[in-house]
Amino acid sequence: MITVLLTSAGVLGLLAFFEPCTIATHTLFSARAHREPRADCCTALVFIWISRSLLVTTLLVVAVALTQPFEWSNATSSAMLAGIATLYLVSRLIYIPVPHLEFYRLIPGSKRLPQAIRLGLTLPACTIPLFLVIVAIAINVDSLWLSLLAGLLFAALFTLPVVVTAWLGLKNDGQDFMVKAANAAPYLTAVLLFGAALYILSPSVDLGNKELQALLVKPGGIGIGLAFLAGFVFSFNPVSLASIPVVLAYITKAHEERRALLMGGAFIIGMTITHVALGAVAALGGDWVKELMGRAWGLFLGPLLI
């Protein structure tokens, strides 16, 4: 189920950008950002990514913290996914007046906020069902840290096309692709949701809480993959990105390729050893920290780490 949560967060986050009610506003934002000086463009992209990550992770963490896991029958889960898929198909024929969730309006003086922050703190109407699917899975997995990671992954994949188009620009071929993608996205989303609904009906799929908890504590390839994915996602943070010019400055001082490789390799080895040591300490002291702090501390540590 961990794999389902993280895969769904990534896939649905990417699809969220291409939904018709989302792609237009984000494409216009990317086009304006591309015309700005590079420094201003980068600032806008960082703002939209951080604000969206903050919004999505907060909603997921709060939902998991305040909601008890509940038993999902396979038939109920399948019916819900099929209903959402049908909603996407119907929306191509009939206008459904669902408003955007503009969370930035809760902030005093929201009209003076940069457009990037306002866009990041908005859940477009056509992405709300996709996000609710992630919320439902996260509640049943019942892990604050995994919900935090799923939120970061959803936000990162949602924002990635904005970064690419803002940085590279959008020419005629790109505009044609965006139009075709916007027309095809609801159908692709419906196909994926219908496929998931049929898969859940398979007798080999069990959504019970006991099976989920057993999977969470069982060591193996899932844990390794989760650690790799977590490291990959968390590497895209302002502190890590700010260290890149420093590393490049040291490497470019090397006038020989061999020395450049040696210095770059030394940096990678140093980072690896540091994180392995921190991971070992966390693993050895995990049970003690869990008993000392308990689940409620996640409500404090989650927003603090964000």
Side-chain angles (χ1 to χ4, degrees), residues 248-297:
L248 290 177
Y250 279 105
I251 295 176
T252 52
K253 284 184 178 180
H255 299 289
E256 299 178 0
E257 182 179 355
R258 180 175 176 276
R259 181 169 174 78
L261 291 174
L262 180 62
M263 298 176 71
F267 174 80
I268 294 174
I269 293 173
M271 290 287 291
T272 302
I273 292 175
T274 302
H275 285 83
V276 168
L278 291 174
V281 172
L284 294 174
D287 291 336
W288 176 76
V289 173
K290 179 181 178 182
E291 294 177 2
L292 176 66
M293 301 182 67
R295 176 186 175 91
W297 276 92

Side-chain angles (χ1 to χ4, degrees), residues 24 38 75 87 101 114 141 145-146 164 166 174 180 188 196 207 214 222 237 239 257 268 273 280 304 306:
R38 283 299 187 187
L87 182 66
L101 298 182
V141 171
W145 296 109
L146 286 174
V164 173
K180 294 178 181 179
L188 177 59
L207 300 180
I222 292 179
N237 65 78
V239 177
E257 182 179 355
I268 294 174
I273 292 175
L304 178 64
I306 293 173

